[in-house]
Amino acid sequence: MAQKEFLVSMNQKAAENPEFWEAVKLLQREAPVVSVLGKDPGAVATERAKTARAWLVAGGDGTLHHAVNSLMELPPDERCPLWYLPFGTGNDFARTLNLGEIAPLELITRALKSEGACREMAVGRCNERYFLNMASGGLFATITPDTNPQLKSVAGRWSYLISGIGKLLERETIATQVDAQAAEPLLGFFLGNAKFAGGGIQIAADASPFRNELEFLTVPDMPAPQLLALGLELQKDAPDLTGYPVQKRSVKELTLRFDRETPINLDGEQVNVREAAFTLFPAAVKVFVPANAG
């Protein structure tokens, strides 16, 4: 019986890293065919994922985003497991699972030896696009795509914080309806399937891809010092939001309507919409989590 192949997709940072190619060599010892695809693998990967043993994703949240969207085109029983190596700038989803603490070769070795489990995780959807980590809207959606690539190469994940501080000076609110009810004008919002965004900033302390609920946080306008204080408070294991004019609740479905085209960032990939319908799909994909992680 022919061995099942591994799919591999990667971003440029992974492709330039020798550790990534050493990990690919480990896979080649196990399977005769390894399909190496780019960051956005598209329909080719969707078809091959039906029969793959696993899909190795080496990159950041955006690379993982494209793989998840390809898998979600398939029926649940045809979606192969994901093995994820964090080679991005922010690596926010990896932080929730503590994957960044494990060297790439060690993680692949553990996966090949089944020293861990392929755990079922929920996936969110915004209109027609899926997300595994976080959806952010308004002011907060523009930080990642607008961050200067040269700044990212120099400052790493801190580049997002630097870019975000600069945007506080040009902030404006958006008139928003939440499930057809008028809400206070917002600077922006977050819907977290996991805890982190923006290169390690904890946005949703209670969020987890194993919980089957999204954490919804809305942020109205407030003085810049209070916004900075809110950001620091969210970093705590048990943040106390008393005294901040934010609203937080758990949801499985949600519809937002805006008074104008509004940016929404889905795991680092931006869309612009007047209306956003969010839905959560429990146990939608499987991601390998090593023993003693996650």
Side-chain angles (χ1 to χ4, degrees):
M1 182 176 178
Q3 290 178 291
K4 289 187 175 183
E5 70 175 1
F6 290 102
L7 291 178
V8 182
S9 57
M10 73 290 187
N11 64 3
Q12 183 176 349
K13 187 174 180 180
E16 294 173 350
N17 192 308
E19 287 188 277
F20 164 70
W21 293 108
E22 289 299 319
V24 172
K25 288 179 182 178
L26 281 181
L27 299 185
Q28 289 174 323
R29 295 172 189 168
E30 295 285 326
V33 178
V34 176
S35 298
V36 179
L37 309 163
K39 176 181 177 179
D40 186 358
V44 173
T46 300
E47 185 62 29
R48 302 192 78 159
K50 294 179 181 179
T51 57
R53 175 176 170 181
W55 186 340
L56 175 65
V57 179
D61 296 304
T63 312
L64 190 59
H65 170 85
H66 288 297
V68 167
N69 274 269
S70 291
L71 284 180
M72 293 299 289
E73 295 295 320
L74 297 172
D77 61 351
E78 294 184 1
R79 299 170 192 162
C80 67
L82 293 171
W83 296 0
Y84 178 44
L85 297 180
F87 276 100
T89 301
N91 297 322
D92 287 308
F93 185 73
R95 294 175 194 279
T96 294
L97 301 183
N98 297 319
L99 296 181
E101 305 299 320
I102 305 171
L105 286 178
E106 182 181 353
L107 193 149
I108 294 303
T109 299
R110 291 193 194 182
L112 290 170
K113 293 181 178 180
S114 298
E115 295 178 356
C118 290
R119 300 184 61 182
E120 293 182 334
M121 300 186 188
V123 170
R125 186 177 70 187
C126 173
N127 296 344
E128 300 304 318
R129 295 295 294 178
Y130 296 91
F131 62 97
L132 185 59
N133 186 63
M134 183 82 64
S136 57
L139 171 70
F140 311 110
T142 61
I143 293 173
T144 300
D146 289 355
T147 298
N148 187 291
Q150 291 181 322
L151 179 62
K152 288 170 66 174
S153 66
V154 173
R157 68 186 183 91
W158 294 105
S159 61
Y160 297 134
L161 179 61
I162 296 168
S163 179
I165 291 173
K167 285 186 174 294
L168 293 182
L169 302 176
E170 56 188 54
R171 65 190 188 277
E172 58 182 16
T173 59
I174 305 162
T176 307
Q177 288 186 345
V178 179
D179 287 335
Q181 300 296 315
E184 183 178 3
L186 302 177
L187 281 180
F189 64 89
F190 297 93
L191 271 161
N193 191 44
K195 299 179 186 297
F196 300 97
I201 299 175
Q202 181 175 260
I203 299 297
D206 297 327
S208 168
F210 310 116
R211 263 191 66 199
N212 295 332
E213 287 184 312
L214 296 169
E215 286 298 305
F216 180 45
L217 179 72
T218 58
V219 183
D221 195 15
M222 62 187 84
Q226 192 176 23
L227 275 170
L228 291 172
L230 172 63
L232 293 174
E233 184 64 33
L234 286 169
Q235 302 317 297
K236 299 178 181 178
D237 290 336
D240 180 6
L241 301 183
T242 305
Y244 296 98
V246 300
Q247 299 292 324
K248 177 184 173 184
R249 60 188 171 101
S250 299
V251 299
K252 293 185 177 180
E253 293 184 332
L254 186 74
T255 299
L256 303 177
R257 294 184 177 88
F258 313 108
D259 65 340
R260 60 184 182 275
E261 286 281 307
T262 296
I264 295 179
N265 189 299
L266 306 171
D267 296 342
E269 304 299 314
Q270 185 174 309
V271 297
N272 294 284
V273 299
R274 290 287 299 267
E275 180 173 323
F278 291 93
T279 306
L280 188 69
F281 293 83
V285 297
K286 293 180 179 179
V287 180
F288 176 74
V289 180
N292 302 319

